[in-house]
Amino acid sequence: MHNTLTNQTKLTPTIICVAESTHYLVGAVDDSNNLVSLNQQNKITITSSLIEAKNYLRNHNIFNATLEYQTAYDEMCGLSPSAPCRQMISF
């Protein structure tokens, strides 16, 4: 699997990093922009580094993913949340 996972809906492998956080969320984003699990326990995987996140995806035969950086600072200050920064990465 390179860019998307196929099931009944289009799923895009995704790694989410939240500003000032010490972990990364790893899963797939569906057509409704929901982060869903890649494992059978239906739990989002949490890793402590980007290297671990990429290795987790490699172990699932996924070699491309969207890397998304999010921040909660705008919401905490009462502003509208800004769009997340996204980049497609290969590993």
Side-chain angles (χ1 to χ4, degrees):
M1 292 178 220
H2 292 288
N3 289 322
T4 60
L5 305 171
T6 55
N7 196 352
Q8 293 177 319
T9 61
K10 178 182 171 187
L11 299 173
T12 303
T14 302
I15 301 169
I16 297 177
C17 173
V18 180
E20 303 298 325
S21 177
T22 59
H23 62 270
Y24 294 76
L25 303 177
V26 184
V29 173
D30 65 14
D31 291 333
S32 299
N33 207 30
N34 298 310
L35 185 65
V36 297
S37 174
L38 293 176
N39 61 43
Q40 294 184 347
Q41 293 83 18
N42 291 324
K43 293 183 179 179
I44 301 301
T45 300
I46 300 172
T47 65
S48 60
S49 71
L50 182 56
I51 291 170
E52 284 181 23
K54 291 191 285 188
N55 285 336
Y56 176 82
L57 291 172
R58 276 190 205 104
N59 290 337
H60 283 81
N61 295 318
I62 299 169
F63 303 98
N64 294 299
T66 299
L67 178 60
E68 180 175 313
Y69 290 97
Q70 296 181 356
T71 179
Y73 294 127
D74 291 340
E75 277 185 68
M76 292 180 353
C77 295
L79 302 172
S80 297
S82 57
C85 176
R86 291 185 180 115
Q87 177 180 5
M88 183 59 80
I89 59 172
S90 298
F91 38 89

